[in-house]
Structures are given as structure tokens and as C-alpha cells.
Amino acid sequence: MESLGDDLATMPRVPLADEHVAALRAIGSERTYPAGTMLAVAGEAIDRFVYVIDGEVEVVDPFTGGRMVPSTLGPTQFMGEIGFLNGGSWLLPMRAVRDTATLEVPRPDMLAMMARVPELSDHVIRVFSARRRRQFELRNSAIKLIGADRDAAVQRVEQFLSRNRIPFQSLDMDGSGEEVLAACNLVGHRPAVILGQDRVLEEPTPRKVAQYLNLDLDACAETLYDLLVVGGGPAGVAAAVYAGAEGLKALVIEDTAIGGQAGTSSRIENYMGFPTGISGTDLLYRGQIQAMKFGTRFAMPRRVERLERRADGAFCATLDGGDAVCARAVLVATGVQYSRLPLDRLAELEGAGVFYAATDMEARFCRNTEAVVIGGGNSAGQAAMYLSRTAGHVHVVVRGKSLAASMSSYLMERLKADPRITVHYDTAVTALHGGDHLEAVTFRTAGVERHIPTRALFIMIGAAPNTSWLGTLVETDERGFVLTGSATGETSPYETSCEGIFAVGDVRSGSVKRVASAVGEGSVVVSQIWNFVERDRA
């Protein structure tokens, strides 16, 4: 199971070093499992590190009860995948093929040892990451989605899982997946989210799935973090990495998916170190793994609704659902969100042909048809290039007369050179058409209206800051962006008007709206936060 779906007999196995196994023995305990015993159940928390001493362990198909992949785990190998770092749940059940002996270490003790022994940590994380990647690629999971193409609620779950790199299988309502439907006692075809064989989610939401995966947070006011990072985009994730590396007890709250707006970019080509480009999701996922390696926790999808300061100086954030979490310092990294156009029927068609991201899931709606992208920035340009691979044609709708002021030169040249893409300048979408799903749009150029049949409209304009939850604690500019540094009389460029609250990335007034800039700000601000927290502790 070094890589799910591959035959381990043909793959090189690199066992843990003898000294690392000896260290595990010093803090762990041995257990034995008779043949047929379950070592892991899908949905249960990954609460321990399991090293196989003797015997054999197989991955079980949660719907048929048979072996899912031909490869098994044997002596010198260990169970688990990247969810172990954040206290997640087992995504697949595992069972002893024959009598099996293991060496098991409680998760907190294993994380502490990994922090002390980087060679061990690197080995474990490398294997864990490869397994999660392979699971995601093969869609091996206890999570099955039925009818995401037709049901907006199931589609929202699909978007949450995909953007967070959580394995799942999506089945269309066209006769496929009969075996799964029968195993789960689903009579007829209806949209559903299935968690293992015995659980069908009623009124599915990303948060319900997150609770099953142990990604949600049992937050309470009694837990005092050193740093609360609000927002999981490039700036927030970069800060999470450096906060953990500096020994700060940090928590990241993200309301949708790690990556933020950058996570919706199908290909970023101007980020240093990736000459052939990298998707926003992949870039930020790597950062999240780094942060978890250093002990930073992530909770999602949760939204901060209100922030208050206690009499003792600590900040307490009230989350959706009423939970509260408190910290000595707060980093505002909530970025911006695309503006919603004043179009009739926009809200009811969102997720049913109207999208704010261009990833694999949305691209399937464009296959062999026309797609429309509204926006003149880099995100819109990247979306158009990506969608042109599957769409019959892509129309880019731009309000202005040029892209020069808002889009990188290399993207402009590519859009102009691609015969599958047409850029419409001085143009605005004026109407949406369709029944339960978008079927066409109307846009106006120089007073002339044009009707374009399309099943997919991508809105990527505007930059409205996510700052309403801050109330009056910090000063903002006239557009709602957080004022920092000299604008508030502070020497630090990232400190707000409220001591202990810092802001980085796109949400900060005057910031450069680029991924690299956000990562830089998130990295640099941690030293200032560390100084503040140390003073507060004293």
C-alpha cells in the first residue's frame, strides 16, 4: 500500500531505520489481531500510528467487504495516510488477512517524535502523501456521491472534497453505480451522499461530511491558541507553516477549502520554482501538509461570524453554529471574493451552470459546448485557457477596452493566439436563460445584444474583501480593506489599528494581488506575531 492500486511486490520498500523502530518501541505498545479482525473502520479517527511487526493487512472495500486493491501491508510497513497529521478519519477500512502483530503509538506521541526526528518525519510524510495522492487519483474511498451533476447540494459536497484533495467517487444517475446503490439499500436513483455502506446523508452539506472526516473542530472558549489564522489562502497557509515552525500553537479556520481564491486557479505559471506551472490547489495543498507537519491545525468548513476581545486581552471568534475559539493573536487572511453580478436568477443558477471556479469539476459542464468567462484578470485568463481544452469554444467577456492593465502579458498573448478563445471587449452579460440549469446568456457589446447557448458561465470579477466579521475592532478603508502599517500609525506593515490583530494578503489595503506576494506577507508576519505572543505570555 505504498501507493494504493500498485502491486507492492514490484515496488521497492524502504523500511524505517532500526533506530526509529527502537524509538517507536520506547513510546508504543504491541498488539495482536486475529485473522479477520478490523484494524481500522472508515469514519473513525486516526488516533494512532500502526507499524506492522508480523502478519498481513488488507484494504477493504466498504461496500462489498472484499479486498479493494491487490497490494497488502506486511512486516516493516505502516498504516495511515496524510489525514493522520490533522487528526482526520480513516477513509478506508483495513483488516488483518492473517494473525497480525503491530507496534502502535498514540497519535500525540508520534507527532511529538516526528517533530524531534526530521528523518523519521520525512519518511512518514512522504509515504502518507503518496497514499493520499494515489487514493485521490483512483477515487478509493468510503465516500460516494450520487447525482452531483443534477443536485446542487451534492455538487457543493463534491467541490469541497475535490478542492481539499479528499478521495471520493462521483456516480452519475445514468445506470452506473448499481452495485453501490444496492449495497446501500438505495431504491431507485436519487441524489445522495453515501458515507460507507450504512450511512446516507440527509440534506448533505460540506460540514456534515467534514464532521465524518474529523476535519471540523470541537472548539471551545477554554482552548487558548497562540494564533488564530482566519482564511486558508496563500497568505494564511504560509503563515500557518511558519507559525508551526516557530513553535506557535496555531489554528487555521477556513470556510470553504484550503487554497482560497488561488485554489480555483487551474494553472499558475508565474510562481517561482514551477516553470511548467502548478494548479492553485496543488500548491496550497503542499503548504498545508508542511503546516500540519509542524503542528498547525486546520478546521473547515467553518466561518468566523464575529470577533471580540476579552477583558484579559485574548481574542474570541464566534463561528457559524455558535462555537467559539480564542487566541492571543489573530491574523486576518480572508482575502477577497468575486463579486456577484446584478442579474436576474443568478442565485438560483449558482452551481447549476453559474460558477466562481474553473477546476476539473466545472470543466465537465463545458465539454463540446461553449463556455463564457466574465473577467479580465489573471484568474479569468487562466480559467479560459484551462476550459478551452474541453469546451467547443470559450468567450471571455471584458468590461474594458483592453486587458493590459489587469492581466499578465503572457496570458494576454495566449488568449489572443488561441483560436478556441474569443475576447469580447467593452461587453457585459445582461441576462441568464434556462430552466433548472443554465442554457444560454445574453451579452451586449456597443449596444448590440448577442445570444450565446452555454451550460457554463464563470464569474471572475471584482474583489470584495471578507471583513464584516471584524466589526469595529480594526480600521478599514472606504472599500472595506484592512488598514495596516503607516496608515494606522504602526511601524509594522502588517499590524492593524488593534494591537494583536495582523492582516496579510489580498484583504490588506494596498497589497499586491498576487499569490507570491501573499505567501511572502504570510511568511514575514509570523516573526512579528511571535514577538507579540511572547510579550503577552510574559
Side-chain angles (χ1 to χ4, degrees):
M1 194 180 149
E2 292 288 348
S3 184
L4 277 175
D6 291 325
D7 184 357
L8 290 182
T10 64
M11 295 179 61
R13 300 186 185 184
V14 182
L16 295 179
D18 292 343
E19 60 268 27
H20 295 159
V21 177
L24 292 176
R25 289 189 181 278
I27 60 175
S29 58
E30 291 190 16
R31 290 194 61 180
T32 58
Y33 296 89
T37 304
M38 300 300 298
L39 279 74
V41 176
E44 289 188 353
I46 308 176
D47 59 358
R48 68 203 192 281
F49 180 82
V50 181
Y51 176 83
V52 180
I53 299 173
D54 187 38
E56 187 178 9
V57 179
E58 65 182 346
V59 180
V60 179
D61 188 314
F63 300 98
T64 67
R67 180 179 293 183
M68 173 169 277
V69 295
S71 55
T72 60
L73 284 173
T76 76
Q77 295 180 287
F78 49 88
M79 292 167 49
E81 50 89 43
I82 207 66
F84 175 86
L85 298 182
N86 202 43
S89 299
W90 296 101
L91 298 175
L92 289 168
M94 302 194 72
R95 177 174 59 204
V97 179
R98 51 191 174 88
D99 292 352
T100 298
T102 63
L103 175 59
E104 305 189 4
V105 180
R107 177 177 167 274
D109 297 335
M110 184 64 186
L111 291 176
M113 189 169 78
M114 289 170 64
R116 296 192 305 269
V117 186
E119 296 82 6
L120 172 64
S121 177
D122 291 346
H123 184 117
V124 171
I125 289 176
R126 190 177 301 114
V127 173
F128 279 177
S129 297
R131 288 178 180 165
R132 170 61 72 87
R133 181 176 62 251
R134 191 62 172 165
Q135 279 183 289
F136 186 79
E137 291 171 350
L138 295 177
R139 302 190 180 279
N140 286 337
S141 175
I143 304 173
K144 308 289 184 183
L145 310 184
I146 310 295
D149 285 354
R150 304 187 186 184
D151 187 87
V154 179
Q155 190 177 116
R156 283 191 289 271
V157 173
E158 183 181 37
Q159 292 168 344
F160 168 74
L161 294 172
S162 181
R163 289 186 58 190
N164 284 292
R165 285 295 188 263
I166 298 168
F168 67 96
Q169 184 178 6
S170 186
L171 304 175
D172 294 333
M173 298 172 63
D174 59 0
S176 63
E178 292 289 352
E179 184 178 3
V180 172
L181 294 169
C184 297
N185 296 317
L186 290 179
V187 179
H189 284 187
R190 70 175 188 272
V193 175
I194 306 167
L195 306 176
Q197 184 173 340
D198 58 351
R199 186 175 179 188
V200 178
L201 280 186
E202 300 294 336
E203 300 180 0
T205 65
R207 186 176 175 189
K208 287 181 179 180
V209 176
Q211 290 170 335
Y212 170 79
L213 296 169
N214 213 30
L215 295 175
D216 201 353
L217 179 72
D218 293 327
C220 61
E222 288 74 26
T223 300
L224 182 63
Y225 290 88
D226 292 324
L227 174 63
L228 175 64
V229 180
V230 186
V237 172
V241 171
Y242 282 82
E246 293 299 323
L248 295 176
K249 184 178 182 181
L251 171 69
V252 179
I253 299 288
E254 168 57 43
D255 69 350
T256 304
I258 298 304
Q261 197 175 93
T264 67
S265 294
S266 54
R267 191 179 185 190
I268 301 172
E269 290 189 76
N270 58 355
Y271 192 85
M272 188 183 71
F274 297 93
T276 59
I278 185 172
S279 74
T281 299
D282 285 340
L283 179 65
L284 274 298
Y285 179 63
R286 295 182 186 201
Q288 182 189 12
I289 292 175
Q290 281 181 288
M292 292 191 297
K293 168 186 172 180
F294 291 121
T296 298
R297 286 209 61 191
F298 289 78
M300 55 191 172
R302 300 303 299 271
R303 184 178 68 257
V304 176
E305 296 187 335
R306 184 173 69 256
L307 185 67
E308 300 171 306
R309 193 165 199 175
R310 297 191 315 205
D312 63 0
F315 297 95
C316 286
T318 301
L319 310 182
D320 53 329
D323 294 324
V325 62
C326 301
R328 291 184 169 90
V330 174
L331 180 62
V332 183
T334 43
V336 298
Q337 58 190 5
Y338 292 125
S339 299
R340 299 175 78 250
L341 292 172
L343 294 170
D344 289 342
R345 304 196 62 218
L346 178 70
E348 63 184 278
L349 290 174
E350 288 176 335
V354 175
F355 307 103
Y356 297 88
T359 64
D360 292 347
M361 294 180 305
E362 293 84 13
R364 69 172 182 256
F365 293 103
C366 305
R367 192 169 302 280
N368 301 321
T369 186
E370 299 191 58
V372 178
V373 178
I374 304 177
N378 278 0
S379 294
Q382 290 160 353
M385 292 301 303
Y386 181 70
L387 295 170
S388 68
R389 300 175 185 177
T390 55
H393 198 82
V394 178
H395 299 270
V396 179
V397 177
V398 183
R399 292 178 179 177
K401 299 182 183 300
S402 170
L403 292 170
S406 57
M407 185 178 293
S408 296
S409 176
Y410 79 94
L411 268 178
M412 284 193 298
E413 295 305 318
R414 289 185 183 179
L415 293 183
K416 293 176 183 177
D418 196 327
R420 298 165 297 180
I421 299 174
T422 301
V423 181
H424 303 267
Y425 296 103
D426 195 22
T427 300
V429 172
T430 58
L432 308 178
H433 310 281
D436 295 334
H437 197 283
L438 180 70
E439 296 174 7
V441 301
T442 298
F443 47 83
R444 181 184 295 117
T445 304
V448 178
E449 289 193 338
R450 182 179 179 184
H451 195 70
I452 298 290
T454 181
R455 296 197 303 268
L457 171 67
F458 299 84
I459 301 176
M460 296 180 170
I461 62 170
N466 298 310
T467 54
S468 60
W469 56 278
L470 286 165
T472 59
L473 277 177
V474 303
E475 295 178 12
T476 60
D477 65 17
E478 66 280 0
R479 297 170 60 197
F481 290 90
V482 179
L483 294 172
T484 58
S486 59
T488 61
E490 302 294 339
T491 55
S492 164
Y494 310 115
E495 191 166 357
T496 69
S497 58
C498 180
E499 186 180 26
I501 300 181
F502 302 79
V504 291
D506 289 2
V507 75
R508 188 175 68 83
S509 179
S511 66
V512 178
K513 306 300 189 280
R514 288 289 186 270
V515 172
S517 300
V519 170
E521 292 186 9
S523 305
V524 172
V525 73
V526 170
S527 62
Q528 298 160 25
I529 294 173
W530 190 89
N531 290 333
F532 173 81
V533 169
E534 285 299 296
R535 292 197 307 270
D536 186 69
R537 285 172 175 167

